[in-house]
Amino acid sequence: MRQIQSILQFLFLLLGLYGTLRVQPVQGKLASVEERKSYIVYMGHLHESEDSVSAAHMSLLQKVMGSDAAPGCLLHSYKRSLNGFVAMLTEEEANIISEFDEVVSVFPNGKNKLHTTRSWDFMGFSKQVKRTPLESDVIIGVLDTGIWPESKSFDDQGFGPPPSRWKGACEVSNFTCNNKIIGARYYRDNLTFSDTDFLSPRDSDGHGTHCASTIAGNHVDMASLYGFAYGTARGGVPSARIAVYKVCWFDSCDDAGILAAFDDAIADGVDIISASFGGSAKSYFTDSTAIGSFHAMKAGILTSNSAGNKGPKPFTVSSVSPWLLSVAASTIDREFITKVQIGDGKIYEGLSINTFDLNGSMYPFIYGGDAPNKAGGFNSSESSLCSENSLDPNIVRDKIVLCQGLKTNGPFLAGAAGVVSAADIAKDIASIFPLPESDVSSMDAANIYSYIHSTSYPTATIFKSEEKKDTFAPYVASFSSRGPNPITLDILKPDITAPGVHILAAWSLANPISKVIGDQRFAPYNIISGTSMACPHASAVAAYVKSFHPTWSPAAIKSSLMTTAHLMSQKINTDAEFAYGAGHIDPLRALNPGLIYDADETDYVKFLCGQGYDTRRLQAVTGDQSTCTAANNGTTWDLNYPSFAASTSNSGAVYRTFTRIVTNVGYDSSVYRSTVFAPVGLKIQVSPSMLSFKSIGEKVSYQVTVEGTINNSVESASLVWEDGVHQVRSPIVVFQVGNN
Ligand SMILES: *[C@@H]1O[C@H](CO)[C@@H](O)[C@H](O)[C@H]1NC(C)=O
Ligand SMILES: *[C@@H]1O[C@H](CO)[C@@H](O)[C@H](O)[C@H]1NC(C)=O
Ligand SMILES: *[C@@H]1O[C@H](CO)[C@@H](O)[C@H](O)[C@H]1NC(C)=O
Ligand SMILES: *[C@@H]1O[C@H](CO)[C@@H](O)[C@H](O)[C@H]1NC(C)=O
Ligand SMILES: *[C@@H]1O[C@H](CO)[C@@H](O)[C@H](O)[C@H]1NC(C)=O
Ligand SMILES: *[C@@H]1O[C@H](CO)[C@@H](O)[C@H](O)[C@H]1NC(C)=O
């Protein structure tokens, strides 16, 4: 049977019909096809059986396209967990379809970007923490670049068969699943294909392998990157299972594939979804991750999503839906410095992860601006940036080059021996380059530049990096996207921060550690940074909480992570909550939050009514008769969220009331008292200020009123409920928006 399947698969490959998403040219209608683009038609809740759903999609297309509606126009039907399809449409057709009653939204199939293992110890989460046998029943859906199945991190020794409820599949092709990686699917709707990628769940990049092993990788002793970050590599829930959904390829992660992966992952039966990618923030029903995670939430699955790597500017957070967890990236106490010595004996310290050892040999040293590739038509202002092809290989070969900026493929391709670059950006991350490199400050670079131009034979050497302890950690990385939330101002985003800088985890053997073609260094573990690396830490903690509390809702798990988070320093993190949300994730405390802020589909629908989404669209999404009336028109401030945000205009004056409901998950009988921390000038009242519970599961509501005038653009306060054992903390942020 297997054999027949693989023969069929092979034939499909030959016919170009591979994958789940099939693209066929439309016969005889090439002119109109060229005007068509791939659009996603989102239709909400799924009612019918699989077969009739596709037929319904086709007949909807026929209504608009008439006889043009060849089968090839319908690229994919979402029909396992949510309703909708992908089709090649003209803009006009897309507009017509968006008016149909059964359609919630129509949006172009856009592109998203991908945004150890000391990190767990750093969080106080040791190898010996208590675990439940139920951990091996937890299935994590990882939507990413695929996985490297042969990595030791995914060995299935000691694992039993997958949980019996598992309905996933292993769409094998140059790939084997096991009892650790229990599912693997891939989504590719584009016939354009890079020969460096695999048409398989196999990871040609490393990113997906890195994320999956951070979540659920086995304990692997003596792991390191060429000796750096030496220790035990491990995931947060090493007994959990992994289901791989490859949605990201050499070019991007497209919306159609992301939504198809959610459609499958939910139906397959994953417990937590980890999504380390994003685009720009979009309204809720035109964003594939927002839609997918909404349906996941309906099915009891929490989605953990990276906040984005577009910081430190405000309003850059791209993960904004209230039903998912948005994760910022912070440092761990591991940093790397790389020393540069120049001919006059002076030593400068720069950043990078440099595994190369030049043994202290001095090399000729030249400024990129003095070596333009004139034959290639480049001038010296271009070659000073050392961009690709801008340097004359005959001049820079075997020399160390001083460059302005961080892009160093130029010197590598030109055969340079090393690079000293001046990049004041990204002071907090050290990156890996294809040749010896150190990024110095621009002040140091200016001194180095003077040296080069003051001697006839300038020389330099670059040392292997040294690992150092960063005593300021944790702080939020500059690249981590910041709030406020560009879609709904008064839902605080990001939600939480987790380690995302200098993380060692498993890697794909198909990509060099610098990701630069030509670099000969391939390694099973690599050190990289990004909110992409922070997200899997949060996914793992969510899975850890889920293993102890299998019945908790996505909102309950999210609440437990947020209200138990560690306070972060506002002195170091000047963007405060807009950088770190509720604070730094704390896996052990998250198990036992005392109170939770629960919410379900009804609550989010009320919220969406208040956001102006109409009854027709919401009925399509929920699949029931819920209507937006004045009575269930929820305000942003009454959504049962574990944090509080109140925006104000330029005047800085604020008067805002929030309503919340807490559910007791601590002791049967308990009394919680509120404490408010607020800056002078901001009056925050909590009513009632004491909450008594008689049983587990009991719900009690309270109100918070924030009143006053703020003089800074952002003021942070907080509310803490305490029963003598638990501390349930929520940040309160008041901030000005306007044209000042
Ligand atoms: C397929 O991908 C390539 C490379 O990213 C892109 O140039 C091309 O436009 C894509 N084609 C379609 C039909 O999306
Ligand atoms: C299959 O995977 C191996 C790595 O294990 C790779 O070298 C090879 O190119 C892959 N083959 C295809 C057809 O993708
Ligand atoms: C540095 O020394 C080691 C050990 O002798 C040698 O293997 C390596 O090639 C040397 N590196 C360079 C750049 O000369
Ligand atoms: C160098 O070339 C760039 C791109 O062609 C051009 O914009 C720039 O003005 C040139 N600079 C000088 C100093 O000639
Ligand atoms: C709900 O509130 C929003 C925002 O105030 C308003 O735009 C909308 O018309 C209201 N809907 C209903 C049904 O009251
Ligand atoms: C803002 O300034 C006013 C006037 O100086 C002061 O009364 C108020 O307390 C200040 N507010 C805060 C939040 O510091």
Side-chain angles (χ1 to χ4, degrees):
M1 187 60 200
R2 279 261 163 82
Q3 237 170 358
I4 294 176
Q5 262 180 357
S6 50
I7 290 170
L8 279 178
Q9 250 162 9
F10 179 65
L11 286 176
F12 276 134
L13 268 168
L14 285 181
L15 292 169
L17 291 168
Y18 50 68
T20 316
L21 303 175
R22 288 164 194 167
V23 185
Q24 288 172 313
V26 180
Q27 304 294 318
K29 268 283 174 187
L30 280 175
S32 65
V33 169
E34 270 162 11
E35 300 155 17
R36 295 208 158 101
K37 282 195 315 192
S38 152
Y39 280 90
I40 292 164
V41 178
Y42 171 52
M43 300 170 67
H45 187 83
L46 184 68
H47 291 280
E48 295 120 289
S49 75
E50 290 200 8
D51 289 344
S52 62
V53 175
S54 297
H57 295 161
M58 198 60 216
S59 81
L60 199 150
L61 267 184
Q62 272 157 357
K63 274 195 226 164
V64 198
M65 301 171 72
S67 58
D68 279 3
C73 287
L74 180 61
L75 300 183
H76 182 77
S77 275
Y78 303 116
K79 55 185 182 184
R80 296 192 67 205
S81 310
L82 56 99
N83 190 359
F85 59 90
V86 187
M88 298 300 285
L89 301 171
T90 63
E91 199 179 332
E92 196 191 346
E93 287 163 350
N95 286 338
I96 297 171
I97 291 185
S98 68
E99 299 298 317
F100 286 12
D101 275 355
E102 58 271 53
V103 171
V104 179
S105 60
V106 179
F107 54 98
N109 178 14
K111 292 189 185 303
N112 296 269
K113 280 194 182 144
L114 287 165
H115 294 217
T116 224
T117 309
R118 162 109 191 103
S119 48
W120 292 112
D121 287 315
F122 177 69
M123 287 186 276
F125 193 63
S126 76
K127 275 187 240 180
Q128 290 81 30
V129 295
K130 71 169 173 174
R131 303 219 173 247
T132 146
L134 291 179
E135 187 176 305
S136 72
D137 284 348
V138 178
I139 305 164
I140 324 280
V142 185
L143 276 54
D144 212 294
T145 62
I147 201 165
W148 194 260
E150 293 83 11
S151 168
K152 271 193 195 167
S153 291
F154 310 123
D155 191 305
D156 72 346
Q157 208 183 1
F159 281 82
S164 54
R165 68 195 157 84
W166 176 239
K167 294 196 213 56
C170 198
E171 289 176 348
V172 284
S173 155
N174 201 12
F175 190 96
T176 1
C177 285
N178 60 16
N179 285 330
K180 174 83 191 172
I181 303 172
I182 60 171
R185 300 180 188 271
Y186 61 99
Y187 305 86
R188 181 75 192 166
D189 67 342
N190 190 328
L191 291 173
T192 318
F193 205 72
S194 159
D195 53 10
T196 60
D197 211 334
F198 303 116
L199 204 47
S200 137
R202 181 176 290 283
D203 182 6
S204 65
D205 182 277
H207 189 278
T209 303
H210 202 274
C211 291
S213 68
T214 299
I215 304 169
N218 300 319
H219 289 190
V220 176
D221 290 330
M222 298 186 290
S224 76
L225 172 70
Y226 291 89
F228 292 133
Y230 179 88
T232 302
R234 62 189 170 101
V237 278
S239 302
R241 320 293 181 123
I242 297 166
V244 177
Y245 299 86
K246 180 167 170 179
V247 297
C248 296
W249 301 79
F250 71 101
D251 48 356
S252 73
C253 332
D254 72 20
D255 287 317
I258 290 169
L259 210 45
F262 272 103
D263 190 35
D264 279 337
I266 296 165
D268 289 348
V270 305
D271 295 299
I272 302 286
I273 289 176
S274 191
S276 283
F277 51 73
S280 50
K282 292 180 211 76
S283 64
Y284 299 115
F285 290 145
T286 59
D287 180 290
S288 56
T289 305
I291 295 169
S293 60
F294 187 90
H295 287 270
M297 173 276 296
K298 274 165 68 116
I301 304 160
L302 177 64
T303 301
S304 159
N305 183 211
S306 44
N309 295 342
K310 294 191 177 149
K313 282 203 202 113
F315 289 105
T316 47
V317 60
S318 61
S319 172
V320 295
S321 304
W323 44 85
L324 56 66
L325 181 70
S326 312
V327 190
S330 41
T331 57
I332 57 171
D333 57 356
R334 171 193 288 158
E335 64 178 350
F336 295 89
I337 59 138
T338 304
K339 286 181 181 158
V340 176
Q341 183 167 13
I342 61 176
D344 67 2
K346 286 210 182 73
I347 292 179
Y348 296 92
E349 270 187 15
L351 289 180
S352 74
I353 301 177
N354 176 32
T355 72
F356 297 104
D357 195 350
L358 297 177
N359 302 323
S361 304
M362 298 304 283
Y363 285 75
F365 197 15
I366 189 170
Y367 174 55
D370 297 337
N373 176 8
K374 285 189 188 138
F378 291 86
N379 61 33
S380 68
S381 63
E382 290 164 301
S383 70
S384 67
L385 300 172
C386 298
S387 47
E388 241 168 84
N389 301 323
S390 68
L391 296 165
D392 186 339
N394 294 319
I395 306 180
V396 303
R397 186 170 297 122
D398 296 330
K399 295 193 174 78
I400 293 178
V401 188
L402 174 67
C403 300
Q404 292 172 348
L406 209 61
K407 284 275 166 234
T408 52
N409 285 2
F412 178 62
L413 294 174
V419 177
V420 177
S421 57
D424 278 331
I425 42 162
K427 284 195 198 85
D428 41 15
I429 54 166
S431 309
I432 299 182
F433 302 98
L435 71 182
E437 168 155 358
S438 179
D439 297 319
V440 299
S441 69
S442 48
M443 193 126 80
D444 287 347
N447 289 330
I448 294 171
Y449 174 87
S450 315
Y451 159 75
I452 290 178
H453 286 132
S454 66
T455 176
S456 347
Y457 298 104
T459 56
T461 191
I462 299 168
F463 294 96
K464 196 171 170 181
S465 298
E466 294 165 39
E467 212 166 322
K468 286 210 158 169
K469 199 172 169 76
D470 181 358
T471 47
F472 289 107
Y475 51 90
V476 176
S478 59
F479 62 75
S480 186
S481 287
R482 301 316 203 248
N485 178 336
I487 303 298
T488 306
L489 271 177
D490 286 2
I491 296 290
L492 178 64
K493 289 284 174 176
D495 292 309
I496 202 159
T497 188
V501 177
H502 304 155
I503 306 301
L504 177 86
W507 195 245
S508 161
L509 288 181
N511 207 10
I513 58 169
S514 66
K515 296 178 131 198
V516 174
I517 296 170
D519 184 348
Q520 297 303 316
R521 294 168 304 165
F522 294 86
Y525 290 86
N526 198 4
I527 300 172
I528 55 174
S529 304
T531 53
S532 281
M533 282 64 248
C535 166
H537 281 93
S539 311
V541 178
Y544 182 62
V545 172
K546 175 111 188 165
S547 71
F548 282 87
H549 306 288
T551 59
W552 281 13
S553 71
I557 294 176
K558 170 171 163 170
S559 173
S560 70
L561 266 53
M562 288 172 67
T563 62
T564 59
H566 272 303
L567 259 135
M568 297 278 281
S569 161
Q570 276 184 38
K571 287 215 176 76
I572 306 180
N573 301 280
T574 50
D575 304 315
E577 281 79 9
F578 292 133
Y580 51 68
H584 194 276
I585 200 163
D586 184 336
L588 288 177
R589 288 192 59 205
L591 275 194
N592 194 11
L595 302 176
I596 51 177
Y597 294 84
D598 209 349
D600 60 17
E601 186 183 359
T602 331
D603 300 291
Y604 297 117
V605 165
K606 272 191 204 166
F607 161 80
L608 289 168
C609 284
Q611 297 290 300
Y613 289 82
D614 56 72
T615 291
R616 178 182 69 73
R617 285 197 170 75
L618 287 171
Q619 284 184 351
V621 172
T622 58
D624 61 24
Q625 293 306 303
S626 51
T627 51
C628 285
T629 60
N632 78 347
N633 201 6
T635 70
T636 305
W637 309 284
D638 291 343
L639 178 64
N640 207 29
Y641 214 70
S643 60
F644 301 83
S647 52
T648 144
S649 65
N650 283 341
S651 73
V654 60
Y655 183 89
R656 182 62 67 203
T657 302
F658 301 85
T659 305
R660 292 291 187 270
I661 298 169
V662 280
T663 308
N664 179 25
V665 295
Y667 300 115
D668 280 344
S669 175
S670 49
V671 176
Y672 284 82
R673 289 182 176 76
S674 66
T675 311
V676 166
F677 299 87
V680 198
L682 216 49
K683 198 168 124 203
I684 300 182
Q685 282 186 310
V686 181
S687 166
S689 62
M690 213 170 80
L691 306 175
S692 332
F693 297 90
K694 294 200 175 49
S695 61
I696 301 273
E698 193 180 341
K699 290 175 189 288
V700 174
S701 94
Y702 71 90
Q703 286 194 325
V704 176
T705 308
V706 179
E707 190 181 356
T709 303
I710 60 166
N711 305 311
N712 299 319
S713 56
V714 186
E715 290 285 359
S716 302
S718 62
L719 160 63
V720 182
W721 290 104
E722 282 178 279
D723 68 345
V725 176
H726 305 96
Q727 291 192 319
V728 190
R729 182 181 177 277
S730 292
I732 303 172
V733 184
V734 183
F735 61 106
Q736 281 181 335
V737 280
N739 28 359
N740 51 341

